[in-house]
Amino acid sequence: AEAKVVLQISDPNPFKQTLVLNVANNLVKHYGPDRVAIEIVAFGPGLRLLFAENANTDRIQSLVGNGVKFSACANTTANMGKKLGHPPKLNKNAVTVSAGVVRILDLQKQGYSLIKP
């Protein structure tokens, strides 16, 4: 890939969720899906973006079709599960990673640029 970008979403604000998806979409439009590697990592309150019932499910599906990856923090999922009384149901496109912050660090070591819209 010509560009490698990891987008962080750790904010529960629906505006920020929309913004992170817009940034991913703009990157795909600019570079083309074959020339950019994008991963959106959700942790903390930002995990709500990857809840199965999130209003952005169709946009997430569209981005996945263009090669965008979505990672969900297992630590956050477990902690939210304790508060909810059951684990939150996540978007089918979300891949669970042990820790969102660790995933971001690992991607940065692989040459990804971190952007937090």
Side-chain angles (χ1 to χ4, degrees), residues 2 4 26-27 42 51 58 65 74-75 84 91-92 98 105-106:
E2 186 176 314
K4 299 192 292 189
N26 291 341
L27 287 165
F51 279 11
D58 289 343
N75 291 332
L84 296 169
N91 184 296
K92 65 180 178 171
S98 62
L105 288 171
D106 288 346

Side-chain angles (χ1 to χ4, degrees), residues 19-58:
L19 183 59
V20 80
L21 297 174
N22 288 349
V23 169
N25 192 55
N26 291 341
L27 287 165
V28 169
K29 274 191 203 171
H30 177 80
Y31 289 100
D34 298 333
R35 293 180 30 226
V36 64
I38 303 168
E39 187 164 329
I40 296 174
V41 179
F43 63 92
L47 185 68
R48 287 177 175 82
L49 172 66
L50 297 181
F51 279 11
E53 71 277 3
N54 187 287
N56 291 299
T57 300
D58 289 343

Side-chain angles (χ1 to χ4, degrees), residues 68-117:
V68 177
K69 295 178 181 176
F70 291 83
S71 293
C73 175
N75 291 332
T76 302
T77 304
N79 288 330
M80 284 185 172
K82 288 175 190 170
K83 290 178 184 169
L84 296 169
H86 58 83
K89 188 170 185 332
L90 297 178
N91 184 296
K92 65 180 178 171
N93 295 298
V95 173
T96 301
V97 295
S98 62
V101 173
V102 173
R103 180 65 182 158
I104 289 171
L105 288 171
D106 288 346
L107 289 170
Q108 286 183 297
K109 287 178 191 172
Q110 295 171 36
Y112 280 69
S113 298
L114 171 61
I115 298 176
K116 185 183 176 212

